[in-house]
Protein backbone atom coordinates (compact mmCIF):
# COMPACT_ATOMS: atom_id res chain seq x y z
CA UNK A 1 0.00 0.00 0.00
CA UNK A 2 1.62 3.26 -1.10
CA UNK A 3 -0.68 5.64 0.60
CA UNK A 4 0.75 9.06 1.42
CA UNK A 5 -0.49 11.04 4.38
CA UNK A 6 0.38 14.65 5.18
CA UNK A 7 -0.61 15.80 8.64
CA UNK A 8 -0.12 19.54 9.34
CA UNK A 9 3.07 19.63 7.26
CA UNK A 10 4.68 23.06 7.56
CA UNK A 11 7.81 24.66 6.15
CA UNK A 12 9.57 27.69 7.54
CA UNK A 13 12.86 28.46 5.76
CA UNK A 14 15.86 29.47 7.91
CA UNK A 15 15.25 33.14 7.01
CA UNK A 16 11.88 32.89 8.78
CA UNK A 17 9.71 32.73 5.63
CA UNK A 18 6.74 30.36 5.95
CA UNK A 19 6.61 28.78 2.47
CA UNK A 20 4.01 26.12 3.42
CA UNK A 21 1.43 26.74 6.17
CA UNK A 22 0.26 23.62 8.08
CA UNK A 23 -1.23 21.44 5.33
CA UNK A 24 -3.03 18.11 5.56
CA UNK A 25 -4.29 15.68 2.95
CA UNK A 26 -4.19 11.98 2.12
CA UNK A 27 -3.29 10.39 -1.19
CA UNK A 28 -4.78 7.00 -1.95
CA UNK A 29 -2.86 4.01 -3.23
CA UNK A 30 -2.47 4.33 -7.01
CA UNK A 31 -3.84 7.86 -7.10
CA UNK A 32 -2.43 10.61 -9.37
CA UNK A 33 -2.45 13.87 -7.42
CA UNK A 34 -1.38 17.16 -8.99
CA UNK A 35 -0.13 20.09 -6.89
CA UNK A 36 -0.87 23.25 -8.86
CA UNK A 37 -0.52 26.95 -8.22
CA UNK A 38 1.27 30.10 -9.37
CA UNK A 39 5.01 30.66 -9.04
CA UNK A 40 6.06 30.87 -5.39
CA UNK A 41 2.93 29.20 -3.95
CA UNK A 42 5.03 26.49 -2.26
CA UNK A 43 4.32 23.49 -4.47
CA UNK A 44 7.99 22.57 -5.04
CA UNK A 45 8.72 23.03 -1.34
CA UNK A 46 5.90 20.62 -0.50
CA UNK A 47 7.11 18.05 -3.04
CA UNK A 48 10.71 18.37 -1.86
CA UNK A 49 9.61 17.73 1.74
CA UNK A 50 7.83 14.55 0.58
CA UNK A 51 11.00 13.54 -1.31
CA UNK A 52 13.18 14.22 1.73
CA UNK A 53 15.20 16.90 -0.09
CA UNK A 54 13.94 19.56 2.31
CA UNK A 55 13.47 19.30 6.08
CA UNK A 56 9.92 19.32 7.43
CA UNK A 57 9.61 22.13 10.02
CA UNK A 58 6.63 20.49 11.75
CA UNK A 59 3.91 17.95 11.09
CA UNK A 60 3.92 14.27 10.16
CA UNK A 61 4.59 12.62 6.83
CA UNK A 62 3.68 8.97 6.27
CA UNK A 63 4.46 6.98 3.13
CA UNK A 64 2.98 3.48 2.97
CA UNK A 65 2.09 3.66 6.65
CA UNK A 66 5.61 4.55 7.80
CA UNK A 67 6.52 7.88 9.37
CA UNK A 68 9.33 9.18 7.15
CA UNK A 69 10.00 12.72 8.46
CA UNK A 70 13.61 11.86 9.19
CA UNK A 71 14.15 9.03 6.70
CA UNK A 72 16.88 9.57 4.10
CA UNK A 73 15.54 10.29 0.55
CA UNK A 74 17.20 7.10 -0.74
CA UNK A 75 15.28 5.03 1.82
CA UNK A 76 11.80 6.43 1.14
CA UNK A 77 11.10 4.07 -1.78
CA UNK A 78 10.36 6.96 -4.15
CA UNK A 79 11.54 7.90 -7.63
CA UNK A 80 11.63 11.50 -8.73
CA UNK A 81 11.46 12.91 -12.27
CA UNK A 82 12.84 16.44 -12.59
CA UNK A 83 12.28 19.29 -15.01
CA UNK A 84 15.88 19.11 -16.29
CA UNK A 85 15.76 15.25 -16.51
CA UNK A 86 19.10 15.01 -14.60
CA UNK A 87 20.56 12.52 -17.10
CA UNK A 88 24.28 11.67 -17.16
CA UNK A 89 25.56 13.05 -20.50
CA UNK A 90 28.46 10.61 -20.84
CA UNK A 91 26.32 7.50 -20.29
CA UNK A 92 24.17 5.70 -22.86
CA UNK A 93 20.41 5.51 -22.48
CA UNK A 94 20.84 1.93 -21.26
CA UNK A 95 23.24 2.95 -18.49
CA UNK A 96 21.22 6.03 -17.56
CA UNK A 97 18.07 3.95 -17.09
CA UNK A 98 19.86 1.19 -15.19
CA UNK A 99 22.06 3.47 -13.06
CA UNK A 100 19.95 3.36 -9.89
CA UNK A 101 19.76 -0.43 -10.02
CA UNK A 102 23.50 -0.81 -10.49
CA UNK A 103 24.00 1.36 -7.42
CA UNK A 104 21.77 -1.00 -5.49
CA UNK A 105 23.94 -3.93 -6.56
CA UNK A 106 21.18 -5.57 -8.59
CA UNK A 107 22.50 -8.54 -10.67
CA UNK A 108 23.42 -7.55 -14.25
CA UNK A 109 20.95 -9.92 -15.93
CA UNK A 110 18.10 -8.43 -13.91
CA UNK A 111 19.21 -4.86 -14.72
CA UNK A 112 19.28 -5.73 -18.45
CA UNK A 113 15.83 -7.29 -18.29
CA UNK A 114 14.28 -4.35 -16.40
CA UNK A 115 15.94 -1.74 -18.64
CA UNK A 116 14.71 -3.50 -21.76
CA UNK A 117 11.19 -3.84 -20.38
CA UNK A 118 11.07 -0.14 -19.48
CA UNK A 119 12.55 0.85 -22.85
CA UNK A 120 9.86 -1.18 -24.66
CA UNK A 121 7.17 0.48 -22.56
CA UNK A 122 8.54 3.93 -23.41
CA UNK A 123 9.31 3.32 -27.11
CA UNK A 124 13.03 3.67 -26.44
CA UNK A 125 14.22 0.21 -27.52
CA UNK A 126 15.95 1.58 -30.63
CA UNK A 127 17.80 4.25 -28.69
CA UNK A 128 19.41 2.26 -25.88
CA UNK A 129 22.96 2.75 -27.15
CA UNK A 130 22.67 6.50 -27.77
CA UNK A 131 23.85 9.28 -25.47
CA UNK A 132 21.33 11.87 -24.18
CA UNK A 133 22.76 14.51 -26.57
CA UNK A 134 21.62 12.32 -29.49
CA UNK A 135 17.99 12.33 -28.34
CA UNK A 136 15.06 14.73 -28.74
CA UNK A 137 13.61 16.50 -25.72
CA UNK A 138 10.69 14.06 -25.54
CA UNK A 139 13.02 11.07 -25.71
CA UNK A 140 15.19 12.48 -22.91
CA UNK A 141 12.07 12.91 -20.83
CA UNK A 142 11.20 9.26 -21.47
CA UNK A 143 14.68 8.18 -20.35
CA UNK A 144 14.12 10.06 -17.09
CA UNK A 145 10.80 8.22 -16.76
CA UNK A 146 12.54 4.93 -17.52
CA UNK A 147 15.02 5.48 -14.74
CA UNK A 148 12.12 6.05 -12.34
CA UNK A 149 10.17 3.01 -13.55
CA UNK A 150 12.96 0.41 -13.25
CA UNK A 151 13.35 1.20 -9.57
CA UNK A 152 9.82 -0.07 -9.05
CA UNK A 153 9.12 2.59 -6.40
CA UNK A 154 6.13 2.93 -4.10
CA UNK A 155 5.76 6.56 -5.15
CA UNK A 156 6.56 8.67 -8.22
CA UNK A 157 7.26 12.36 -7.70
CA UNK A 158 7.26 14.68 -10.72
CA UNK A 159 8.57 18.25 -10.54
CA UNK A 160 7.33 20.15 -13.64
CA UNK A 161 8.68 17.36 -15.88
CA UNK A 162 7.30 18.82 -19.12
CA UNK A 163 8.25 22.47 -18.82
CA UNK A 164 11.26 22.21 -21.15
CA UNK A 165 9.22 20.77 -24.02
CA UNK A 166 7.38 22.63 -26.77
CA UNK A 167 3.58 22.84 -26.67
CA UNK A 168 2.92 19.91 -29.03
CA UNK A 169 5.31 17.57 -27.26
CA UNK A 170 3.93 18.58 -23.88
CA UNK A 171 0.46 17.50 -24.99
CA UNK A 172 1.79 14.18 -26.25
CA UNK A 173 3.94 13.48 -23.17
CA UNK A 174 1.19 14.37 -20.75
CA UNK A 175 -1.01 11.72 -22.32
CA UNK A 176 1.88 9.22 -22.26
CA UNK A 177 2.73 9.86 -18.60
CA UNK A 178 -0.90 9.60 -17.54
CA UNK A 179 -1.41 6.36 -19.48
CA UNK A 180 1.80 4.89 -18.11
CA UNK A 181 0.90 5.82 -14.53
CA UNK A 182 -2.49 4.14 -14.87
CA UNK A 183 -0.89 1.06 -16.36
CA UNK A 184 1.73 0.78 -13.61
CA UNK A 185 -0.70 1.83 -10.86
CA UNK A 186 2.03 3.67 -8.94
CA UNK A 187 0.88 6.43 -6.57
CA UNK A 188 2.07 9.72 -8.08
CA UNK A 189 2.44 13.34 -7.02
CA UNK A 190 2.96 15.80 -9.85
CA UNK A 191 3.85 19.48 -9.51
CA UNK A 192 2.97 22.00 -12.20
CA UNK A 193 1.97 25.63 -12.61
CA UNK A 194 0.03 24.66 -15.75
CA UNK A 195 -3.67 24.33 -15.02
CA UNK A 196 -4.29 22.39 -18.26
CA UNK A 197 -1.80 19.73 -17.14
CA UNK A 198 -3.51 19.62 -13.76
CA UNK A 199 -7.00 19.28 -15.26
CA UNK A 200 -6.07 16.60 -17.78
CA UNK A 201 -3.74 14.41 -15.73
CA UNK A 202 -5.01 14.46 -12.16
CA UNK A 203 -7.33 12.11 -10.35
CA UNK A 204 -7.37 14.88 -7.75
CA UNK A 205 -5.96 18.38 -7.77
CA UNK A 206 -4.54 20.30 -4.80
CA UNK A 207 -4.67 24.05 -5.58
CA UNK A 208 -2.09 26.05 -3.61
CA UNK A 209 -1.93 29.80 -3.11
CA UNK A 210 0.69 31.62 -1.02
CA UNK A 211 1.64 28.47 0.90
CA UNK A 212 -1.96 27.50 1.67
CA UNK A 213 -4.28 24.83 0.25
CA UNK A 214 -7.15 26.67 -1.47
CA UNK A 215 -9.05 23.57 -2.57
CA UNK A 216 -8.69 19.81 -3.03
CA UNK A 217 -10.96 18.01 -5.48
CA UNK A 218 -11.37 16.13 -8.73
CA UNK A 219 -10.76 18.20 -11.88
CA UNK A 220 -14.52 18.41 -12.38
CA UNK A 221 -15.15 19.61 -8.80
CA UNK A 222 -12.39 22.20 -9.04
CA UNK A 223 -13.66 23.45 -12.40
CA UNK A 224 -17.39 23.43 -11.74
CA UNK A 225 -17.42 24.26 -8.03
CA UNK A 226 -14.41 26.47 -7.29
CA UNK A 227 -14.15 27.18 -3.55
CA UNK A 228 -12.82 30.71 -4.02
CA UNK A 229 -12.29 33.47 -6.57
CA UNK A 230 -8.61 32.44 -6.59
CA UNK A 231 -9.44 28.92 -7.79
CA UNK A 232 -12.11 30.26 -10.19
CA UNK A 233 -9.64 32.55 -11.88
CA UNK A 234 -6.64 30.19 -11.77
CA UNK A 235 -8.33 27.11 -13.26
CA UNK A 236 -9.80 27.40 -16.74
CA UNK A 237 -8.54 29.10 -19.89
CA UNK A 238 -9.99 31.64 -20.27
CA UNK A 239 -10.84 31.80 -16.57
CA UNK A 240 -14.25 32.19 -14.98
CA UNK A 241 -15.69 35.71 -15.40
CA UNK A 242 -15.86 37.51 -12.06
CA UNK A 243 -18.18 40.52 -12.00
CA UNK A 244 -18.80 42.86 -9.08
CA UNK A 245 -22.53 43.10 -8.25
CA UNK A 246 -24.83 44.13 -5.36
CA UNK A 247 -27.60 42.60 -3.30
CA UNK A 248 -30.37 45.17 -3.76
CA UNK A 249 -34.19 45.17 -3.61
CA UNK A 250 -34.58 41.40 -3.56
CA UNK A 251 -32.09 40.64 -6.32
CA UNK A 252 -28.42 40.37 -7.21
CA UNK A 253 -27.93 43.33 -9.56
CA UNK A 254 -25.14 44.37 -11.87
CA UNK A 255 -23.96 47.99 -11.46
CA UNK A 256 -26.15 48.89 -14.48
CA UNK A 257 -29.22 47.77 -12.45
CA UNK A 258 -29.97 44.53 -14.35
CA UNK A 259 -31.19 41.83 -11.95
CA UNK A 260 -29.47 38.49 -12.60
CA UNK A 261 -30.65 36.45 -9.60
CA UNK A 262 -33.43 36.64 -6.99
CA UNK A 263 -32.25 37.16 -3.41
CA UNK A 264 -33.87 37.78 -0.03
CA UNK A 265 -34.89 41.47 0.30
CA UNK A 266 -32.97 41.61 3.58
CA UNK A 267 -29.61 41.03 1.82
CA UNK A 268 -27.56 44.17 1.16
CA UNK A 269 -24.04 44.95 0.02
CA UNK A 270 -21.48 43.83 -2.54
CA UNK A 271 -21.18 40.37 -4.00
CA UNK A 272 -18.93 38.82 -6.67
CA UNK A 273 -20.69 36.93 -9.43
CA UNK A 274 -18.90 34.15 -11.30
CA UNK A 275 -19.79 32.54 -14.64
CA UNK A 276 -17.70 30.37 -16.97
CA UNK A 277 -17.34 31.84 -20.50
CA UNK A 278 -18.95 28.73 -22.08
CA UNK A 279 -22.08 29.12 -19.91
CA UNK A 280 -22.88 32.59 -21.29
CA UNK A 281 -25.78 32.57 -23.80
CA UNK A 282 -25.20 35.12 -26.54
CA UNK A 283 -28.15 36.84 -28.20
CA UNK A 284 -30.56 35.88 -25.41
CA UNK A 285 -31.51 37.63 -22.16
CA UNK A 286 -31.16 41.30 -21.40
CA UNK A 287 -27.68 41.90 -20.03
CA UNK A 288 -25.78 44.30 -22.30
CA UNK A 289 -22.42 42.90 -23.49
CA UNK A 290 -20.15 45.32 -25.31
CA UNK A 291 -17.81 43.16 -27.45
CA UNK A 292 -14.42 44.71 -28.26
CA UNK A 293 -12.63 41.75 -29.84
CA UNK A 294 -13.57 38.44 -31.42
CA UNK A 295 -10.85 35.81 -31.10
CA UNK A 296 -11.14 33.12 -33.77
CA UNK A 297 -10.04 29.67 -32.51
CA UNK A 298 -11.30 27.37 -35.25
CA UNK A 299 -13.84 25.19 -33.46
CA UNK A 300 -15.03 28.10 -31.34
CA UNK A 301 -14.71 31.82 -30.78
CA UNK A 302 -13.94 33.92 -27.73
CA UNK A 303 -15.70 37.25 -27.44
CA UNK A 304 -13.85 39.71 -25.22
CA UNK A 305 -15.49 42.88 -23.97
CA UNK A 306 -17.31 44.36 -21.00
CA UNK A 307 -20.46 43.87 -18.99
CA UNK A 308 -21.46 46.79 -16.74
CA UNK A 309 -18.01 48.31 -17.32
CA UNK A 310 -16.15 45.15 -16.22
CA UNK A 311 -14.02 42.78 -18.30
CA UNK A 312 -16.01 39.80 -19.59
CA UNK A 313 -15.44 36.90 -21.98
CA UNK A 314 -17.95 34.63 -23.71
CA UNK A 315 -17.13 31.36 -25.46
CA UNK A 316 -19.35 30.56 -28.46
CA UNK A 317 -19.39 27.76 -31.03
CA UNK A 318 -17.98 28.53 -34.45
CA UNK A 319 -21.23 29.05 -36.34
CA UNK A 320 -22.54 31.66 -33.88
CA UNK A 321 -22.55 34.99 -35.67
CA UNK A 322 -20.44 37.33 -33.61
CA UNK A 323 -18.82 40.65 -34.36
CA UNK A 324 -17.55 43.50 -32.19
CA UNK A 325 -20.27 45.86 -30.99
CA UNK A 326 -23.35 45.83 -28.76
CA UNK A 327 -24.82 42.40 -27.88
CA UNK A 328 -27.10 40.96 -25.23
CA UNK A 329 -26.40 37.86 -23.17
CA UNK A 330 -28.24 35.61 -20.77
CA UNK A 331 -26.40 34.52 -17.62
CA UNK A 332 -28.26 31.27 -16.77
CA UNK A 333 -29.01 31.11 -13.05
CA UNK A 334 -27.85 27.53 -12.69
CA UNK A 335 -24.41 28.53 -14.00
CA UNK A 336 -23.87 31.44 -11.61
CA UNK A 337 -21.50 31.17 -8.64
CA UNK A 338 -21.55 33.69 -5.80
CA UNK A 339 -18.42 34.69 -3.90
CA UNK A 340 -17.87 36.88 -0.85
CA UNK A 341 -16.31 40.04 -2.32
CA UNK A 342 -14.08 40.58 0.70
CA UNK A 343 -12.73 37.10 1.40
CA UNK A 344 -13.18 35.57 -2.07
CA UNK A 345 -14.83 32.49 -0.50
CA UNK A 346 -17.67 30.73 -2.31
CA UNK A 347 -21.07 31.42 -0.74
P1 LIG B 1 7.85 27.92 -8.89
O1 LIG B 1 6.70 27.46 -9.73
O2 LIG B 1 8.32 29.29 -9.25
O3 LIG B 1 8.95 26.91 -8.76
P2 LIG B 1 6.82 27.09 -6.30
O4 LIG B 1 5.36 27.18 -6.10
O5 LIG B 1 7.38 25.76 -6.59
O6 LIG B 1 7.27 28.14 -7.40
P3 LIG B 1 8.62 27.15 -4.06
O7 LIG B 1 9.88 26.93 -4.83
O8 LIG B 1 8.09 26.05 -3.25
O9 LIG B 1 7.48 27.72 -5.01
O10 LIG B 1 8.84 28.42 -3.12
C1 LIG B 1 7.83 28.88 -2.25
C2 LIG B 1 8.27 30.15 -1.59
O11 LIG B 1 9.37 29.89 -0.73
C3 LIG B 1 8.74 31.24 -2.55
O12 LIG B 1 8.25 32.48 -2.10
C4 LIG B 1 10.24 31.17 -2.47
O13 LIG B 1 10.81 32.43 -2.71
C5 LIG B 1 10.47 30.74 -1.04
N1 LIG B 1 11.70 29.96 -0.89
C6 LIG B 1 12.10 28.89 -1.61
N2 LIG B 1 13.29 28.42 -1.19
C7 LIG B 1 13.65 29.21 -0.15
C8 LIG B 1 14.80 29.27 0.73
N3 LIG B 1 15.78 28.35 0.64
N4 LIG B 1 14.82 30.25 1.66
C9 LIG B 1 13.83 31.13 1.77
N5 LIG B 1 12.73 31.15 0.99
C10 LIG B 1 12.65 30.21 0.03
Amino acid sequence: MAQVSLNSIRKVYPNGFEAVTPSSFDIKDGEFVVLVGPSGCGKSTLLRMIAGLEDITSGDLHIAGRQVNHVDPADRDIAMVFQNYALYPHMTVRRNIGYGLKNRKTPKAEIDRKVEEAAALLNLSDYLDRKPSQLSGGQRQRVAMGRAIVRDPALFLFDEPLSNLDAKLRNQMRIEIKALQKRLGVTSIYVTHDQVEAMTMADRIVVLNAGRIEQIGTPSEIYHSPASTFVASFMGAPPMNLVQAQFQDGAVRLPCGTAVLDAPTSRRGPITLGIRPEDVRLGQGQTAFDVHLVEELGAHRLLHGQIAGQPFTAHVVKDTIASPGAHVVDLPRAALALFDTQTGARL
Side-chain angles (χ1 to χ4, degrees), residues 13-15 17 19 37-46 160 191 193:
Y13 279 111
N15 66 355
F17 181 74
S39 181
C41 70
K43 52 195 185 296
S44 299
T45 301
L46 197 50
E160 307 236 13
V191 159
H193 62 272

Side-chain angles (χ1 to χ4, degrees), residues 149-225:
I149 290 171
V150 293
R151 295 183 47 197
D152 213 0
L155 180 62
F156 279 143
L157 302 179
F158 298 92
D159 193 0
E160 307 236 13
L162 305 183
S163 38
N164 287 337
L165 304 178
D166 65 39
K168 195 165 169 231
L169 204 50
R170 281 175 83 115
N171 290 350
Q172 184 191 328
M173 287 303 295
R174 110 183 157 218
I175 295 165
E176 281 184 25
I177 291 180
K178 171 80 181 175
L180 197 65
Q181 190 270 344
K182 280 289 153 244
R183 189 160 159 190
L184 299 171
V186 179
T187 311
S188 299
I189 308 177
Y190 187 106
V191 159
T192 182
H193 62 272
D194 181 341
Q195 53 92 20
V196 177
E197 253 168 58
M199 287 293 294
T200 53
M201 299 178 85
D203 294 322
R204 272 192 311 154
I205 298 174
V206 178
V207 185
L208 293 162
N209 177 24
R212 275 191 323 109
I213 296 177
E214 284 272 335
Q215 188 172 4
I216 302 179
T218 63
S220 172
E221 283 163 358
I222 298 276
Y223 189 81
H224 295 290
S225 308

Side-chain angles (χ1 to χ4, degrees), residues 120-150:
L121 204 60
L122 293 158
N123 282 326
L124 284 173
S125 303
D126 294 340
Y127 303 93
L128 282 171
D129 297 318
R130 292 202 193 178
K131 301 267 175 68
S133 61
Q134 299 167 306
L135 299 176
S136 70
Q139 288 163 342
R140 281 180 214 169
Q141 182 49 254
R142 287 198 203 108
V143 176
M145 282 291 298
R147 194 164 49 185
I149 290 171
V150 293

Side-chain angles (χ1 to χ4, degrees), residues 35-329:
L35 309 181
V36 70
S39 181
C41 70
K43 52 195 185 296
S44 299
T45 301
L46 197 50
L47 192 78
R48 290 171 60 81
M49 286 194 284
I50 297 170
L53 302 173
E54 202 68 72
D55 285 342
I56 297 170
T57 305
S58 59
D60 270 328
L61 174 66
H62 286 82
I63 299 177
R66 177 170 67 128
Q67 209 240 35
V68 293
N69 284 44
H70 303 291
V71 173
D72 200 65
D75 299 325
R76 291 190 184 196
D77 201 11
I78 54 176
M80 192 152 172
V81 180
F82 295 94
Q83 179 175 345
N84 60 9
Y85 320 140
L87 302 180
Y88 297 104
H90 59 287
M91 290 186 192
T92 59
V93 168
R94 184 186 303 278
R95 283 186 61 207
N96 263 291
I97 295 180
Y99 187 74
L101 296 180
K102 191 160 174 236
N103 265 1
R104 283 200 220 161
K105 313 232 178 323
T106 310
K108 177 156 184 334
E110 192 182 334
I111 297 180
D112 287 348
R113 183 180 58 77
K114 285 193 155 183
V115 168
E116 270 156 38
E117 266 175 27
L121 204 60
L122 293 158
N123 282 326
L124 284 173
S125 303
D126 294 340
Y127 303 93
L128 282 171
D129 297 318
R130 292 202 193 178
K131 301 267 175 68
S133 61
Q134 299 167 306
L135 299 176
S136 70
Q139 288 163 342
R140 281 180 214 169
Q141 182 49 254
R142 287 198 203 108
V143 176
M145 282 291 298
R147 194 164 49 185
I149 290 171
V150 293
R151 295 183 47 197
D152 213 0
L155 180 62
F156 279 143
L157 302 179
F158 298 92
D159 193 0
E160 307 236 13
L162 305 183
S163 38
N164 287 337
L165 304 178
D166 65 39
K168 195 165 169 231
L169 204 50
R170 281 175 83 115
N171 290 350
Q172 184 191 328
M173 287 303 295
R174 110 183 157 218
I175 295 165
E176 281 184 25
I177 291 180
K178 171 80 181 175
L180 197 65
Q181 190 270 344
K182 280 289 153 244
R183 189 160 159 190
L184 299 171
V186 179
T187 311
S188 299
I189 308 177
Y190 187 106
V191 159
T192 182
H193 62 272
D194 181 341
Q195 53 92 20
V196 177
E197 253 168 58
M199 287 293 294
T200 53
M201 299 178 85
D203 294 322
R204 272 192 311 154
I205 298 174
V206 178
V207 185
L208 293 162
N209 177 24
R212 275 191 323 109
I213 296 177
E214 284 272 335
Q215 188 172 4
I216 302 179
T218 63
S220 172
E221 283 163 358
I222 298 276
Y223 189 81
H224 295 290
S225 308
S228 63
T229 47
F230 176 84
V231 178
S233 50
F234 189 73
M235 304 299 286
M240 183 180 261
N241 291 296
L242 295 173
V243 178
Q244 297 313 314
Q246 294 276 339
F247 281 113
Q248 201 182 13
D249 303 330
V252 172
R253 293 179 190 276
L254 297 173
C256 54
T258 308
V260 290
L261 204 61
D262 295 336
T265 40
S266 57
R267 288 297 295 260
R268 289 259 171 275
I271 182 81
T272 301
L273 207 59
I275 185 164
R276 291 273 175 208
E278 65 274 21
D279 291 331
V280 175
R281 299 280 162 265
L282 188 75
Q284 305 171 25
Q286 43 196 303
T287 304
F289 179 29
D290 192 10
V291 176
H292 301 160
L293 179 79
V294 176
E295 202 179 353
E296 196 63 60
L297 291 165
H300 62 269
R301 294 189 179 119
L302 293 177
L303 279 52
H304 301 285
Q306 287 192 331
I307 274 183
Q310 303 177 59
F312 196 85
T313 299
H315 170 140
V316 296
V317 290
K318 68 172 186 304
D319 46 2
T320 307
I321 297 165
S323 51
H327 290 269
V328 287
V329 287

